Amino acid sequence: MGVEDIYAGVEGGGTHSTTMLFSGSGKLLSTVGGDSTNHFQIGIEETAKRIRGMVKDGLKEANLDENTKLAGLGLALSGMVFSEVQEKMQDGLFKLDPNLTAVTKACSDTHGTLATATEDGGVVLIAGTGSNGLLLNADGTEHNCGGWGHMMGDEGGAWWIANRAVKLYFDVTDNLVQPEADISLLEELIFSHFQIKDRFGMLHHLYEEFSKSKFAGLTKRLAQAAENGDKICLSLFYNAGAALGKHLKALAPSVNRSMLEQPGGLKVVCVGSVWKSWKLLKQGFVDVISATPELTEITLLDLKVGSAAGAAYIGADAAGYRLPRDYSNNVTGFFNYKK
């Protein structure tokens, strides 16, 4: 294993996947895309075929012989949480093509995200359609908070924000609660997004054609209204920020002390479209963090590169080689809090 070898990482999602190839010197050789590699959707066998296809495409893109055997391959895949499934994935890829790679290491997509940002441990805090928090300590121990889906939580995610907005509208119009501000704009946004003429039109979207992603799409409109000063929408995002802060609060007692004492404190990698509205989330988030004694310092990070890079680091590490990396090129810090 060394600078002459080729390493690859796969970032696998439910709709799209990305594969990155690196030389042993750490130079990015190629980046190629592909379809879903979530085994829950397509099975282990089909996932292995798609990964193999992307690796071959990546080799071609890098002007390398497509039969080149990788020294290490990291797979950071959506749904790849349990060790027995990870082993099945590794075995399935080997059975499909024993000459594809010398070593394969499968892990969850959140592990790939964190590996892209730091090798000293930290937290991945996801706020996309749903929400999830994963703590990976420097000593290798793991803890999670959330990630149980919209029926059990997803607090702070786009689905949750939109659901609370629609619920508030229904509660106010049913006279169950008194609004803290005028809901006229909220009604306009809901009716426009779902293309309905009255609130009874929502029954179609709640039953016949319920779509979590359709609900989540409303959140972008709510964010625009909040940026323009609508009090109802500002409150929705304040509460979303607080909900995301509570994920960190829940994980705080399990964080290794050394990770809080490093420069910048605890590293928190923020993933998902809701974080684009950080200025709307900030106050609610900070109010929770400031009241959490264990969190003496944190730094929020945003990835500048795909987490396929972190997957490649994981694959190289599994092969016994430390692929050269510069984390300052991979992430940017957008917020620091220190007590």
Side-chain angles (χ1 to χ4, degrees), residues 266-332:
L266 179 66
K267 304 297 189 301
V268 181
V269 186
C270 301
V271 178
S273 59
V274 173
W275 289 107
K276 294 178 181 178
S277 299
W278 167 242
K279 66 179 181 180
L280 302 174
L281 304 168
K282 181 178 177 179
Q283 192 57 58
F285 184 88
V286 171
D287 284 350
V288 172
I289 298 303
S290 61
T292 306
E294 298 95 337
L295 297 175
T296 52
E297 184 177 8
I298 67 167
T299 296
L300 302 186
L301 304 173
D302 183 32
L303 291 184
K304 295 193 290 185
V305 299
S307 59
Y313 302 158
I314 290 170
D317 289 343
Y321 179 72
R322 189 184 187 283
L323 196 63
R325 65 204 71 169
D326 183 350
Y327 290 110
S328 65
N329 292 329
N330 293 355
V331 296
T332 180

Side-chain angles (χ1 to χ4, degrees), residues 6-12 16-23 26-35 51 53-64 304-313 330:
I6 306 298
Y7 299 87
V10 177
E11 171 191 355
H16 183 75
S17 301
T18 302
T19 297
M20 299 173 74
L21 266 66
F22 294 86
S23 68
K27 180 183 178 181
L28 176 63
L29 301 176
S30 65
T31 302
V32 296
D35 295 328
I51 289 169
M54 284 192 292
V55 169
K56 296 295 186 182
D57 289 345
L59 288 167
K60 291 178 186 176
E61 184 72 20
N63 295 317
L64 295 169
K304 295 193 290 185
V305 299
S307 59
Y313 302 158
N330 293 355

Side-chain angles (χ1 to χ4, degrees), residues 62-143:
N63 295 317
L64 295 169
D65 187 332
E66 67 175 85
N67 293 315
T68 300
K69 187 172 185 177
L70 302 175
L73 172 63
L75 308 175
L77 309 179
S78 173
M80 195 63 52
V81 178
F82 303 108
S83 58
E84 57 268 27
V85 180
Q86 294 168 2
E87 291 172 5
K88 285 181 181 179
M89 185 70 255
Q90 292 163 186
D91 292 343
L93 196 58
F94 179 78
K95 289 176 183 177
L96 176 67
D97 190 345
N99 295 313
L100 184 68
T101 175
V103 177
T104 304
K105 177 63 176 177
C107 62
S108 72
D109 52 349
T110 48
H111 279 76
T113 298
L114 197 57
T116 306
T118 176
E119 59 186 341
D120 299 319
V123 171
V124 177
L125 191 51
I126 299 171
T129 298
S131 64
N132 191 12
L134 172 72
L135 164 66
L136 179 60
N137 274 316
D139 64 8
T141 57
E142 295 182 25
H143 302 271

Side-chain angles (χ1 to χ4, degrees), residues 185 189 220-237 279-280:
L185 180 57
L189 294 173
K220 183 176 181 179
R221 297 176 183 238
L222 297 172
Q224 291 170 344
E227 289 171 357
N228 291 329
D230 182 78
K231 291 182 179 180
I232 293 291
C233 293
L234 283 167
S235 177
L236 288 168
F237 278 89
K279 66 179 181 180
L280 302 174

